[in-house]
Amino acid sequence: MTDLPDDIEQLKAMLVAKEALLHDKEEEISALKNHVQLLIEQLNLSQSKRFAAQSEKVTKGTFNEAEQQDALPSAPKARRQTGRKPLPADLEREVHTHTLNTPYCACCDVPLHACGKEVSETLKIVPQRVSVIRHERTKYACRQCEQTAETSQVVTAPKPASMIPKSLGSPEAFAAVVTAKYVDALPLYRQVDMLNRAGIDISRATLANWCVQLGSKVDVIIDTMKAQLASEPLICADETTVQVLKEADRKAQSTSYMWVYRSGEFTDHPVVIYDYQPSRAGACVRAFLGDYQGYLLSDGYSAYDTVDGVTQAACMAHVRRKFTDAQKASPSKKAGKPEKALTFINKLYGIERRGKHLSVEARQQLRQQESLPLLNDFKRWLDSMHVLPKGALGQAITYAKNQWPKLLTYLEDGRISIDNNVTERDIRPFATGRKNWMFSTSVGGAKASANLYSLVMTCRANDINP
């Protein structure tokens, strides 16, 4: 047992020192607990991203007591039709008629007569149907000149112009290669293999040259699309990485970016523009938008905040994604704070589903009447939360509060979406294709790819077969 001094002042000093030591120990324990909690969250989130389903849908039954208060009687669901869907009527059909060799009755042994037909259809696929267009150009000469003049002129009938003069490809071949690469994410070397199976010997370099030349020759179309996009009240934006091997003053391992701009979700004839840039700086988006005046819908990336003259709108799907990660990272499997936030967001999306087919004015009125009070409740709940700032839930709450003014922008105009998912869907084919072709060889190739992606994605957005 420690000997205690008889002096009161010494005892007080020892007590103060013990209290200070205890306080330091408590702070150290608290910091260790927080660190352990962060590590557990990171482990749970890592395992969830690796093994679990990646859906962001809210689990049915979450906070049912809150859901039931606002529940409205729903219309009876239409009975789902079952069975096989008919094949498209515009497909070419070859009819095979099947008859009996000896149509006699099995019991009476008298001839049978035809009393109808039973029809069924099967799908026939002829892979990579390849044919040749033979151009026979008639030549013309003058009989009179042949007899009287020193020289005789021969006139040849012209053939249709080609986007790549003296090329082996036809417009149909160009469209097939571009669609396979930029829509179906089929690399050129695989297309070469498919052509080889049909007996066609075309090198990968030839197909790559086609894509580069075609992409560089549609600038006039892309410029017209950009002009149309700039005239719209809303532009959605997003960006993703791309690698270019041969770029001046840059290493082959440097990261470049493909920026994507598109019309709003509720536009009748949307435009999708891909724009290659060597960086992710704000100057890239400023250069593209120029003096655009309107709404800009994007994620929380700071480069978009550097654009003057636009009204910023944020993406609720990114907020939902943060809380979904917090839900997955939570050590507790019981419904808690992340589920409460997701319930708020799920109700907001429920209102959007009901307003999807309304007019612009009616959609805005619905949002003011129902979404605004719900958002106010959500904000009060966010402000009341006191959680670990560096934890997944803390980061989700901080992100939502930082983006809050932009998250309310969609209430101002019925033409603005609650999220930027429509742009993410248009950037996904590029991300999928990038896994196959990995990189672009040159800047020219990257810019040509941007133009061709712009064409085929605009086609897809307008339900046009590219």
Side-chain angles (χ1 to χ4, degrees):
M1 184 175 180
T2 304
D3 294 331
L4 297 178
D6 296 330
D7 186 51
I8 300 297
E9 295 302 325
Q10 289 183 356
L11 288 172
K12 289 181 177 181
M14 290 178 62
L15 183 60
V16 170
K18 291 288 185 181
E19 289 181 349
L21 180 62
L22 180 61
H23 182 265
D24 292 340
K25 292 293 184 181
E26 289 177 349
E27 287 188 344
E28 183 180 356
I29 292 172
S30 177
L32 289 173
K33 286 182 177 179
N34 291 340
H35 185 60
V36 170
Q37 182 179 345
L38 290 176
L39 292 176
I40 292 175
E41 288 185 357
Q42 292 174 7
L43 176 61
N44 291 339
L45 185 58
S46 176
Q47 290 180 332
S48 175
K49 288 184 176 181
R50 185 176 181 184
F51 300 112
Q54 299 303 307
S55 174
E56 297 175 6
K57 293 182 179 179
V58 178
T59 305
K60 291 184 178 180
T62 303
F63 287 100
N64 282 333
E65 68 281 4
E67 296 280 359
Q68 292 171 358
Q69 293 177 4
D70 298 330
L72 296 175
S74 57
K77 294 183 179 180
R79 185 174 180 179
R80 184 177 179 181
Q81 295 183 352
T82 58
R84 182 186 301 168
K85 293 183 179 180
L87 296 173
D90 57 344
L91 288 180
E92 178 185 351
R93 279 167 167 75
E94 57 180 71
V95 179
H96 293 190
T97 303
H98 308 281
T99 61
L100 294 176
N101 292 330
T102 56
Y104 281 85
C105 179
C107 61
C108 304
D109 200 27
V110 297
L112 299 176
H113 70 278
C115 60
K117 293 182 179 180
E118 181 178 319
V119 177
S120 62
E121 294 185 334
T122 54
L123 185 63
K124 178 180 179 181
I125 299 177
V126 180
Q128 198 71 17
R129 182 178 178 182
V130 181
S131 60
V132 177
I133 300 176
R134 182 183 179 92
H135 295 278
E136 296 183 351
R137 304 165 61 191
T138 303
K139 295 182 178 181
Y140 299 88
C142 176
R143 295 293 188 188
Q144 183 68 21
C145 290
E146 289 177 349
Q147 296 175 2
T148 61
E150 293 182 358
T151 59
S152 177
Q153 184 180 9
V154 176
V155 179
T156 305
K159 68 176 182 178
S162 173
M163 290 192 70
I164 306 179
K166 300 182 180 180
S167 170
L168 183 66
S170 66
E172 293 82 1
F174 297 152
V177 171
V178 169
T179 302
K181 176 175 171 60
Y182 296 100
V183 179
D184 302 326
L186 191 63
L188 296 180
Y189 75 89
R190 294 183 187 171
Q191 296 190 51
V192 169
D193 292 340
M194 294 169 63
L195 289 170
N196 287 341
R197 290 199 295 270
I200 309 299
D201 185 13
I202 297 182
S203 68
R204 179 184 175 278
T206 298
L207 299 186
N209 183 54
W210 286 3
C211 292
V212 172
Q213 291 199 53
L214 292 169
S216 62
K217 291 187 177 183
V218 297
D219 282 333
V220 61
I221 303 177
I222 303 302
D223 291 341
T224 304
M225 292 164 57
K226 287 180 180 179
Q228 178 179 333
L229 183 62
S231 67
E232 297 181 359
L234 168 67
I235 294 180
C236 307
D238 201 356
E239 76 289 333
T240 188
T241 58
V242 63
Q243 185 179 0
V244 177
L245 295 185
K246 299 177 182 178
E247 189 166 8
D249 302 324
R250 301 190 75 198
K251 296 181 180 179
Q253 297 81 7
S254 301
T255 300
S256 300
Y257 287 85
M258 193 70 79
W259 297 70
V260 180
Y261 306 89
R262 80 155 347 254
S263 309
E265 179 182 0
F266 303 111
T267 305
D268 292 332
H269 302 290
V271 172
V272 183
I273 304 291
Y274 279 70
D275 181 44
Y276 168 76
Q277 293 292 341
S279 74
R280 202 187 180 202
C284 300
V285 65
R286 292 196 301 270
F288 183 90
L289 295 179
D291 56 356
Y292 172 73
Q293 304 286 321
Y295 292 102
L296 179 62
L297 176 58
S298 64
D299 56 19
Y301 180 43
S302 59
Y304 298 108
D305 296 331
T306 65
V307 183
D308 297 327
V310 301
T311 303
Q312 300 282 350
C315 174
M316 186 64 73
H318 280 75
V319 177
R320 180 175 61 187
R321 200 165 297 154
K322 297 285 186 182
F323 281 105
T324 301
D325 288 345
Q327 181 188 39
K328 294 176 180 177
S330 175
S332 174
K333 300 305 178 183
K334 298 180 180 180
K337 296 175 182 177
E339 288 77 13
K340 181 67 175 177
L342 291 172
T343 299
F344 279 118
I345 297 171
N346 191 44
K347 289 182 178 180
L348 291 170
Y349 273 91
I351 297 171
E352 290 303 302
R353 284 190 293 271
R354 287 193 283 118
K356 185 174 183 180
H357 300 293
L358 298 178
S359 66
V360 172
E361 295 76 14
R363 188 181 303 117
Q364 181 184 2
Q365 184 178 5
L366 176 65
R367 290 170 174 175
Q368 291 292 334
Q369 291 176 349
E370 300 189 23
S371 299
L372 180 57
L374 187 58
L375 283 163
N376 290 335
D377 292 340
F378 188 21
K379 183 61 165 60
R380 283 191 289 270
W381 181 83
L382 290 172
D383 292 336
S384 68
M385 289 296 100
H386 301 285
V387 297
L388 189 63
K390 293 184 179 180
L393 180 59
Q395 293 179 11
I397 292 174
T398 300
Y399 179 85
K401 293 170 71 172
N402 289 341
Q403 296 294 311
W404 194 255
K406 301 177 190 177
L407 290 171
L408 300 181
T409 303
Y410 85 104
L411 301 175
E412 301 176 8
D413 196 317
R415 294 170 294 187
I416 307 175
S417 303
I418 190 175
D419 58 35
N420 199 24
N421 283 350
V422 66
T423 310
E424 292 191 0
R425 286 195 296 269
D426 283 334
I427 212 171
R428 194 171 295 124
F430 177 86
T432 302
R434 183 180 56 200
K435 295 179 181 178
N436 291 330
W437 43 259
M438 301 297 289
F439 54 79
S440 292
T441 304
S442 64
V443 174
K447 291 184 176 180
S449 293
N451 283 352
L452 295 175
Y453 268 115
S454 301
L455 287 180
V456 298
M457 289 298 106
T458 299
C459 284
R460 192 183 75 160
N462 289 274
D463 296 325
I464 298 172
N465 186 339

